């Protein structure tokens, strides 16, 4: 019965697989090991430009708690069946919930969705992997706690643990999520439970307040890796500021981005602007407004610069649209607001305040995100082209004006070669920028899918040659992206993998790490 599985794990016979499934069911309960083709369908919804068969799972297992995970580890070690852990499984555009290699069992941690603790005085939380940002938001509202967190754009359905272990980003002053995590609990491949930082000590009450503990800090090795299953994570919450003043500054020309970054970087580094500054291109804003591509461009090829200009004019969208906020008291924000006004005036930008943003979908969802209010406004991007294909191309650069047009031109030329539009934004962190480009294509069109793959590949290699590495990558390109970081790093990762997971059973292939 079980052996009907579409994709048995590599080297495992149907009989062995059946035995393993029976043992897993004895641990987590029959209904929490799925092998039915129909029921596995949600895990297969990939946005990657490769056939689904490459990422076909053999089953999914849903443990509820550390002890069950430890027992699952025993079984999969015995049979040498790899498991691919996911938390809320919404890694859309970076790989979704499908495993990195065909035949892996998805370990879906959605049942572990407890908010274990929120400390309103220290402003910390301890959560399990299945907790969504929406759930945490609702909890804080229900308990009338004036605390904010930072979340990514798909926050209503995604969660802090999955986002943080993939080193995702958000839009409040706590937007560099790994930086604002504090303490992890990890089940290792041999079933041992590691608590990082102060959590390693018995009776410690500082796990969520001091990251480092004693000796090497281990948290980092459990992000963008496959060395363990993260079962708890501490995170810092931000006191809701008495005055929150989000704003958008629109600029008329693509070339303006150089001076935008030069003007804003000092404010960012000095923390006058405490959150990541997003500089979104017209074609990021347009689908979220919403504007239809078909009204401006039909036929093959990328949309023309003239059509983009027309969209700007017709819908009052800037060539670049800068989003940031002030977080403080009325007095501090009044003082800093003068600086923002002066910068906008000096650089030729038009400020849009929260009051002026009413009725604009594109602005409203951003202003909500910058105060950590979950929403799904950014999913408008998928109406631009249709067909459900999306890969994020996300190189890092220095936060310097000169980097922007250079990267944008490199990307635009390659995208246009394959008939794709430049849908991008720069996110100014403290000293770096993430240049995030959504390579949107029609997954139901095999030719576009091939082109999307070739396009990402060319983008990756062209940017790597210039020294630009990805901050994070789509599962389909994990191996290729890992290769751009050189052999020594990869060798160290392999040695760690050998030491921590000698049977190679936790997500082999994730981020290019495998034995
Ligand atoms: C329109 C749109 C906008 C987006 N905007 C953003 C954004 O602003 N910022 C951003 O960061 N992302 C963004 N994303 C990408 C993605 O959707 C989010 O990062 C999302 O938070 C990741 O999904 P998740 O939280 O469900 O993590 P999961 O999918 O559960 O996990 C991500 C990966 O981490 C690993 N993992 C997960 N849990 C564990 C665990 N417990 N132990 C070990 N390994 C684990 C797995 O390999 C998994 O595939 C966007 C996506 C879309 C479609």
């Amino acid at each position: 019965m079980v052996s009907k599985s579409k994709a048995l794990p590599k080297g495992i016979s149907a009989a062995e697989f059946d035995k393993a499934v029976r043992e897993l069911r004895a641990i987590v309960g029959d209904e929490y090991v799925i092998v039915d083709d129909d029921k596995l369908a949600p895990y297969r919804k990939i946005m990657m430009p490769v056939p689904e068969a490459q990422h076909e799972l053999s089953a999914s297992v849903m443990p509820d708690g550390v002890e069950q995970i430890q027992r699952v580890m025993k079984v999969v070690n015995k049979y040498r069946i790899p498991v691919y852990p996911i938390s809320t499984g919404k890694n859309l555009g970076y790989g979704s919930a499908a495993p990195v290699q065909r035949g892996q069992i998805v370990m879906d941690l959605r049942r572990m969705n407890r908010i274990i603790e929120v400390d309103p005085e220290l402003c910390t939380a301890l959560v399990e992997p299945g907790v969504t940002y929406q759930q945490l938001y609702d909890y804080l509202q229900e308990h009338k706690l004036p605390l904010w967190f930072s979340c990514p754009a798909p926050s209503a359905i995604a969660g802090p643990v999955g986002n943080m272990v993939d080193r995702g980003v958000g839009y409040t002053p706590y937007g560099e999520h790994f930086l604002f995590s504090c303490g992890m609990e990890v089940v290792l491949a041999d079933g041992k439970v590691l608590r990082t930082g102060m959590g390693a000590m018995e009776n410690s009450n500082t796990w969520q307040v001091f990251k480092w503990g004693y000796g090497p800090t281990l948290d980092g090795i459990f992000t963008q890796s496959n060395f363990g299953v993260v079962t708890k994570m501490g995170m810092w919450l931000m006191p809701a500021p008495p005055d929150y003043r989000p704003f958008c500054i629109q600029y008329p020309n693509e070339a303006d981005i150089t001076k935008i970054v030069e003007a804003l970087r000092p404010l960012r580094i000095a923390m006058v602007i405490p959150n990541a500054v997003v500089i979104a291109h017209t074609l990021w804003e347009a689908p979220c407004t919403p504007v239809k591509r078909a009204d401006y461009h039909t036929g093959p090829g990328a949309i023309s610069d003239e059509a983009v200009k027309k969209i700007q004019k017709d819908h009052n969208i800037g060539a670049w649209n800068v989003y940031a906020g002030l977080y403080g008291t009325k007095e501090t924000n009044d003082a800093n607001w003068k600086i923002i006004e002066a910068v906008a005036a000096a650089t030729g930008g038009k400020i849009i305040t929260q009051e002026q943003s009413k009725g604009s979908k594109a602005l409203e969802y951003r202003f909500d995100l910058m105060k950590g209010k979950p929403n799904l406004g950014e999913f408008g991007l998928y109406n631009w082209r249709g067909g459900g294909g999306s890969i994020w191309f996300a190189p890092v650069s220095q936060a310097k004006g000169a980097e922007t047009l250079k990267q944008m031109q490199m990307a635009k030329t390659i995208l246009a070669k394959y008939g794709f539009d430049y849908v991008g934004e720069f996110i100014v962190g403290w000293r770096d920028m993430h240049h995030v480009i959504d390579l949107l294509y029609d997954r139901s069109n095999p030719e576009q899918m091939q082109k999307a793959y070739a396009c990402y590949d060319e983008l990756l290699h062209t940017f790597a040659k210039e020294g630009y590495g990805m901050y994070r990558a789509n599962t389909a390109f994990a191996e290729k992206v890992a290769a751009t970081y050189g052999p020594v790093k990869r060798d160290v990762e392999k040695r760690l993998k050998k030491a921590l997971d000698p049977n190679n059973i936790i997500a082999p292939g994730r981020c290019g790490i495998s034995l």
Side-chain angles (χ1 to χ4, degrees), residues 188-220:
L188 303 172
D190 64 4
K192 288 213 173 81
V193 179
L194 169 74
R195 288 191 171 185
T196 64
M198 303 307 287
M201 270 191 83
E202 261 181 54
N203 297 325
S204 162
N205 64 1
T206 50
W207 191 22
Q208 268 62 70
V209 293
F210 184 66
K211 275 172 96 97
W212 317 117
Y214 181 72
T217 295
L218 298 174
D219 302 55

mmCIF file of all heavy atoms in Angstrom, residues 188-220:
data_model
loop_
_atom_site.group_PDB
_atom_site.id
_atom_site.type_symbol
_atom_site.label_atom_id
_atom_site.label_comp_id
_atom_site.label_asym_id
_atom_site.label_seq_id
_atom_site.Cartn_x
_atom_site.Cartn_y
_atom_site.Cartn_z
ATOM 1 N N LEU A 188 19.591 17.117 17.228
ATOM 2 C CA LEU A 188 20.650 16.711 16.305
ATOM 3 C C LEU A 188 20.305 15.361 15.672
ATOM 4 O O LEU A 188 19.389 14.659 16.123
ATOM 5 C CB LEU A 188 21.984 16.638 17.054
ATOM 6 C CG LEU A 188 22.391 17.962 17.741
ATOM 7 C CD1 LEU A 188 23.618 17.752 18.629
ATOM 8 C CD2 LEU A 188 22.663 19.056 16.708
ATOM 9 N N ALA A 189 21.073 14.989 14.660
ATOM 10 C CA ALA A 189 20.769 13.747 13.934
ATOM 11 C C ALA A 189 20.836 12.522 14.857
ATOM 12 O O ALA A 189 20.121 11.543 14.647
ATOM 13 C CB ALA A 189 21.735 13.592 12.767
ATOM 14 N N ASP A 190 21.673 12.579 15.893
ATOM 15 C CA ASP A 190 21.761 11.419 16.794
ATOM 16 C C ASP A 190 20.718 11.485 17.917
ATOM 17 O O ASP A 190 20.753 10.692 18.855
ATOM 18 C CB ASP A 190 23.175 11.285 17.385
ATOM 19 C CG ASP A 190 23.545 12.473 18.277
ATOM 20 O OD1 ASP A 190 22.683 13.345 18.495
ATOM 21 O OD2 ASP A 190 24.705 12.524 18.740
ATOM 22 N N GLY A 191 19.836 12.455 17.829
ATOM 23 C CA GLY A 191 18.752 12.544 18.806
ATOM 24 C C GLY A 191 19.073 13.414 20.019
ATOM 25 O O GLY A 191 18.200 13.704 20.835
ATOM 26 N N LYS A 192 20.337 13.839 20.146
ATOM 27 C CA LYS A 192 20.683 14.702 21.292
ATOM 28 C C LYS A 192 20.037 16.069 21.104
ATOM 29 O O LYS A 192 19.846 16.534 19.985
ATOM 30 C CB LYS A 192 22.204 14.871 21.397
ATOM 31 C CG LYS A 192 22.908 13.629 21.870
ATOM 32 C CD LYS A 192 24.144 14.010 22.705
ATOM 33 C CE LYS A 192 24.765 12.787 23.321
ATOM 34 N NZ LYS A 192 25.626 12.042 22.390
ATOM 35 N N VAL A 193 19.718 16.713 22.246
ATOM 36 C CA VAL A 193 19.076 18.025 22.169
ATOM 37 C C VAL A 193 20.064 19.090 22.637
ATOM 38 O O VAL A 193 20.521 19.057 23.778
ATOM 39 C CB VAL A 193 17.797 18.064 23.041
ATOM 40 C CG1 VAL A 193 17.150 19.443 22.976
ATOM 41 C CG2 VAL A 193 16.816 16.989 22.572
ATOM 42 N N LEU A 194 20.381 20.000 21.739
ATOM 43 C CA LEU A 194 21.309 21.087 22.068
ATOM 44 C C LEU A 194 20.535 22.372 22.296
ATOM 45 O O LEU A 194 19.676 22.734 21.487
ATOM 46 C CB LEU A 194 22.287 21.303 20.893
ATOM 47 C CG LEU A 194 23.143 22.576 20.966
ATOM 48 C CD1 LEU A 194 24.243 22.439 22.018
ATOM 49 C CD2 LEU A 194 23.758 22.894 19.610
ATOM 50 N N ARG A 195 20.829 23.036 23.388
ATOM 51 C CA ARG A 195 20.317 24.404 23.561
ATOM 52 C C ARG A 195 21.509 25.343 23.426
ATOM 53 O O ARG A 195 22.506 25.179 24.126
ATOM 54 C CB ARG A 195 19.622 24.569 24.906
ATOM 55 C CG ARG A 195 18.287 23.839 24.913
ATOM 56 C CD ARG A 195 17.447 24.171 26.099
ATOM 57 N NE ARG A 195 16.111 23.610 25.947
ATOM 58 C CZ ARG A 195 15.120 23.818 26.790
ATOM 59 N NH1 ARG A 195 15.295 24.563 27.855
ATOM 60 N NH2 ARG A 195 13.923 23.288 26.576
ATOM 61 N N THR A 196 21.396 26.316 22.552
ATOM 62 C CA THR A 196 22.541 27.194 22.295
ATOM 63 C C THR A 196 22.594 28.308 23.339
ATOM 64 O O THR A 196 21.634 28.544 24.072
ATOM 65 C CB THR A 196 22.447 27.818 20.891
ATOM 66 O OG1 THR A 196 21.289 28.662 20.847
ATOM 67 C CG2 THR A 196 22.378 26.770 19.806
ATOM 68 N N GLY A 197 23.736 29.007 23.377
ATOM 69 C CA GLY A 197 23.910 30.159 24.267
ATOM 70 C C GLY A 197 23.717 29.761 25.716
ATOM 71 O O GLY A 197 24.191 28.727 26.185
ATOM 72 N N MET A 198 22.981 30.580 26.454
ATOM 73 C CA MET A 198 22.784 30.342 27.882
ATOM 74 C C MET A 198 21.867 29.154 28.145
ATOM 75 O O MET A 198 21.807 28.637 29.260
ATOM 76 C CB MET A 198 22.201 31.596 28.552
ATOM 77 C CG MET A 198 23.036 32.844 28.365
ATOM 78 S SD MET A 198 24.761 32.649 28.840
ATOM 79 C CE MET A 198 24.633 32.600 30.609
ATOM 80 N N GLY A 199 21.151 28.715 27.101
ATOM 81 C CA GLY A 199 20.223 27.585 27.243
ATOM 82 C C GLY A 199 20.926 26.287 27.579
ATOM 83 O O GLY A 199 20.295 25.324 28.016
ATOM 84 N N ALA A 200 22.251 26.236 27.347
ATOM 85 C CA ALA A 200 22.997 25.010 27.637
ATOM 86 C C ALA A 200 23.110 24.766 29.140
ATOM 87 O O ALA A 200 23.375 23.648 29.582
ATOM 88 C CB ALA A 200 24.394 25.105 27.009
ATOM 89 N N MET A 201 22.944 25.824 29.938
ATOM 90 C CA MET A 201 23.098 25.687 31.404
ATOM 91 C C MET A 201 21.794 25.293 32.069
ATOM 92 O O MET A 201 20.757 25.842 31.737
ATOM 93 C CB MET A 201 23.481 27.046 31.992
ATOM 94 C CG MET A 201 24.936 27.284 32.062
ATOM 95 S SD MET A 201 25.200 28.758 33.045
ATOM 96 C CE MET A 201 25.129 28.093 34.680
ATOM 97 N N GLU A 202 21.892 24.399 33.019
ATOM 98 C CA GLU A 202 20.686 24.068 33.784
ATOM 99 C C GLU A 202 20.283 25.273 34.629
ATOM 100 O O GLU A 202 21.151 25.984 35.152
ATOM 101 C CB GLU A 202 20.967 22.876 34.690
ATOM 102 C CG GLU A 202 20.451 21.590 34.070
ATOM 103 C CD GLU A 202 20.696 20.404 34.964
ATOM 104 O OE1 GLU A 202 20.289 20.457 36.131
ATOM 105 O OE2 GLU A 202 21.316 19.447 34.468
ATOM 106 N N ASN A 203 19.010 25.491 34.758
ATOM 107 C CA ASN A 203 18.453 26.560 35.599
ATOM 108 C C ASN A 203 18.759 27.982 35.139
ATOM 109 O O ASN A 203 18.526 28.928 35.870
ATOM 110 C CB ASN A 203 18.919 26.438 37.063
ATOM 111 C CG ASN A 203 18.433 25.148 37.678
ATOM 112 O OD1 ASN A 203 17.326 24.699 37.358
ATOM 113 N ND2 ASN A 203 19.242 24.537 38.515
ATOM 114 N N SER A 204 19.292 28.127 33.942
ATOM 115 C CA SER A 204 19.580 29.496 33.468
ATOM 116 C C SER A 204 18.266 30.193 33.139
ATOM 117 O O SER A 204 17.358 29.590 32.565
ATOM 118 C CB SER A 204 20.440 29.424 32.211
ATOM 119 O OG SER A 204 20.375 30.652 31.524
ATOM 120 N N ASN A 205 18.169 31.479 33.506
ATOM 121 C CA ASN A 205 16.982 32.226 33.061
ATOM 122 C C ASN A 205 17.383 33.333 32.075
ATOM 123 O O ASN A 205 16.675 34.299 31.881
ATOM 124 C CB ASN A 205 16.198 32.795 34.264
ATOM 125 C CG ASN A 205 17.011 33.819 35.032
ATOM 126 O OD1 ASN A 205 18.139 34.127 34.666
ATOM 127 N ND2 ASN A 205 16.423 34.347 36.101
ATOM 128 N N THR A 206 18.566 33.150 31.444
ATOM 129 C CA THR A 206 19.064 34.190 30.538
ATOM 130 C C THR A 206 19.129 33.732 29.073
ATOM 131 O O THR A 206 19.733 34.399 28.236
ATOM 132 C CB THR A 206 20.471 34.656 30.988
ATOM 133 O OG1 THR A 206 21.282 33.491 31.189
ATOM 134 C CG2 THR A 206 20.405 35.471 32.262
ATOM 135 N N TRP A 207 18.472 32.602 28.760
ATOM 136 C CA TRP A 207 18.542 32.019 27.410
ATOM 137 C C TRP A 207 18.058 33.011 26.336
ATOM 138 O O TRP A 207 18.646 33.105 25.266
ATOM 139 C CB TRP A 207 17.674 30.748 27.407
ATOM 140 C CG TRP A 207 17.811 29.870 26.204
ATOM 141 C CD1 TRP A 207 18.862 29.820 25.328
ATOM 142 C CD2 TRP A 207 16.866 28.893 25.754
ATOM 143 N NE1 TRP A 207 18.630 28.868 24.371
ATOM 144 C CE2 TRP A 207 17.415 28.286 24.607
ATOM 145 C CE3 TRP A 207 15.616 28.463 26.229
ATOM 146 C CZ2 TRP A 207 16.747 27.266 23.908
ATOM 147 C CZ3 TRP A 207 14.957 27.438 25.538
ATOM 148 C CH2 TRP A 207 15.517 26.865 24.394
ATOM 149 N N GLN A 208 17.004 33.745 26.672
ATOM 150 C CA GLN A 208 16.426 34.653 25.679
ATOM 151 C C GLN A 208 16.961 36.086 25.772
ATOM 152 O O GLN A 208 16.478 36.972 25.058
ATOM 153 C CB GLN A 208 14.888 34.665 25.808
ATOM 154 C CG GLN A 208 14.201 33.638 24.908
ATOM 155 C CD GLN A 208 14.586 32.222 25.243
ATOM 156 O OE1 GLN A 208 14.198 31.717 26.278
ATOM 157 N NE2 GLN A 208 15.371 31.570 24.386
ATOM 158 N N VAL A 209 17.937 36.305 26.660
ATOM 159 C CA VAL A 209 18.422 37.684 26.782
ATOM 160 C C VAL A 209 19.914 37.846 26.449
ATOM 161 O O VAL A 209 20.367 38.941 26.146
ATOM 162 C CB VAL A 209 18.139 38.280 28.184
ATOM 163 C CG1 VAL A 209 16.656 38.447 28.393
ATOM 164 C CG2 VAL A 209 18.773 37.460 29.298
ATOM 165 N N PHE A 210 20.691 36.750 26.489
ATOM 166 C CA PHE A 210 22.118 36.851 26.170
ATOM 167 C C PHE A 210 22.459 35.775 25.156
ATOM 168 O O PHE A 210 22.306 34.583 25.424
ATOM 169 C CB PHE A 210 22.953 36.698 27.455
ATOM 170 C CG PHE A 210 24.426 36.874 27.228
ATOM 171 C CD1 PHE A 210 24.944 38.110 26.846
ATOM 172 C CD2 PHE A 210 25.302 35.804 27.382
ATOM 173 C CE1 PHE A 210 26.310 38.273 26.624
ATOM 174 C CE2 PHE A 210 26.677 35.965 27.169
ATOM 175 C CZ PHE A 210 27.177 37.205 26.782
ATOM 176 N N LYS A 211 22.893 36.210 24.004
ATOM 177 C CA LYS A 211 23.033 35.266 22.886
ATOM 178 C C LYS A 211 24.222 34.315 23.009
ATOM 179 O O LYS A 211 24.186 33.211 22.495
ATOM 180 C CB LYS A 211 23.278 36.055 21.588
ATOM 181 C CG LYS A 211 22.036 36.533 20.888
ATOM 182 C CD LYS A 211 22.410 37.461 19.742
ATOM 183 C CE LYS A 211 22.464 36.742 18.428
ATOM 184 N NZ LYS A 211 21.260 36.856 17.628
ATOM 185 N N TRP A 212 25.313 34.778 23.643
ATOM 186 C CA TRP A 212 26.589 34.148 23.336
ATOM 187 C C TRP A 212 26.971 32.949 24.195
ATOM 188 O O TRP A 212 27.680 32.065 23.719
ATOM 189 C CB TRP A 212 27.703 35.206 23.399
ATOM 190 C CG TRP A 212 27.310 36.496 22.748
ATOM 191 C CD1 TRP A 212 27.190 37.714 23.356
ATOM 192 C CD2 TRP A 212 26.929 36.697 21.383
ATOM 193 N NE1 TRP A 212 26.782 38.663 22.452
ATOM 194 C CE2 TRP A 212 26.612 38.074 21.238
ATOM 195 C CE3 TRP A 212 26.822 35.873 20.265
ATOM 196 C CZ2 TRP A 212 26.192 38.622 20.028
ATOM 197 C CZ3 TRP A 212 26.402 36.418 19.061
ATOM 198 C CH2 TRP A 212 26.101 37.769 18.953
ATOM 199 N N GLY A 213 26.573 32.914 25.448
ATOM 200 C CA GLY A 213 27.009 31.806 26.308
ATOM 201 C C GLY A 213 28.515 31.820 26.470
ATOM 202 O O GLY A 213 29.131 32.891 26.511
ATOM 203 N N TYR A 214 29.122 30.627 26.531
ATOM 204 C CA TYR A 214 30.571 30.515 26.718
ATOM 205 C C TYR A 214 31.139 29.661 25.578
ATOM 206 O O TYR A 214 30.535 28.675 25.170
ATOM 207 C CB TYR A 214 30.848 29.851 28.073
ATOM 208 C CG TYR A 214 32.316 29.695 28.380
ATOM 209 C CD1 TYR A 214 33.094 30.811 28.694
ATOM 210 C CD2 TYR A 214 32.920 28.447 28.341
ATOM 211 C CE1 TYR A 214 34.447 30.675 28.957
ATOM 212 C CE2 TYR A 214 34.274 28.302 28.610
ATOM 213 C CZ TYR A 214 35.040 29.417 28.920
ATOM 214 O OH TYR A 214 36.372 29.277 29.173
ATOM 215 N N GLY A 215 32.321 30.042 25.108
ATOM 216 C CA GLY A 215 32.929 29.270 24.014
ATOM 217 C C GLY A 215 32.342 29.663 22.677
ATOM 218 O O GLY A 215 31.665 30.695 22.564
ATOM 219 N N PRO A 216 32.592 28.844 21.648
ATOM 220 C CA PRO A 216 32.114 29.215 20.314
ATOM 221 C C PRO A 216 30.593 29.399 20.302
ATOM 222 O O PRO A 216 29.869 28.658 20.965
ATOM 223 C CB PRO A 216 32.493 28.009 19.447
ATOM 224 C CG PRO A 216 33.504 27.259 20.208
ATOM 225 C CD PRO A 216 33.273 27.549 21.661
ATOM 226 N N THR A 217 30.144 30.392 19.560
ATOM 227 C CA THR A 217 28.708 30.613 19.416
ATOM 228 C C THR A 217 28.201 29.730 18.282
ATOM 229 O O THR A 217 28.673 29.837 17.153
ATOM 230 C CB THR A 217 28.454 32.100 19.108
ATOM 231 O OG1 THR A 217 28.862 32.834 20.239
ATOM 232 C CG2 THR A 217 26.997 32.368 18.840
ATOM 233 N N LEU A 218 27.275 28.856 18.587
ATOM 234 C CA LEU A 218 26.914 27.823 17.615
ATOM 235 C C LEU A 218 25.684 28.144 16.775
ATOM 236 O O LEU A 218 25.442 27.508 15.746
ATOM 237 C CB LEU A 218 26.683 26.486 18.355
ATOM 238 C CG LEU A 218 27.921 25.940 19.079
ATOM 239 C CD1 LEU A 218 27.549 24.712 19.901
ATOM 240 C CD2 LEU A 218 29.021 25.584 18.080
ATOM 241 N N ASP A 219 24.898 29.144 17.197
ATOM 242 C CA ASP A 219 23.615 29.387 16.535
ATOM 243 C C ASP A 219 23.729 29.452 15.005
ATOM 244 O O ASP A 219 22.917 28.893 14.276
ATOM 245 C CB ASP A 219 22.979 30.686 17.033
ATOM 246 C CG ASP A 219 22.764 30.672 18.537
ATOM 247 O OD1 ASP A 219 23.757 30.441 19.266
ATOM 248 O OD2 ASP A 219 21.629 30.879 18.972
ATOM 249 N N GLY A 220 24.753 30.168 14.549
ATOM 250 C CA GLY A 220 24.888 30.409 13.107
ATOM 251 C C GLY A 220 24.942 29.139 12.285
ATOM 252 O O GLY A 220 24.432 29.104 11.158
#
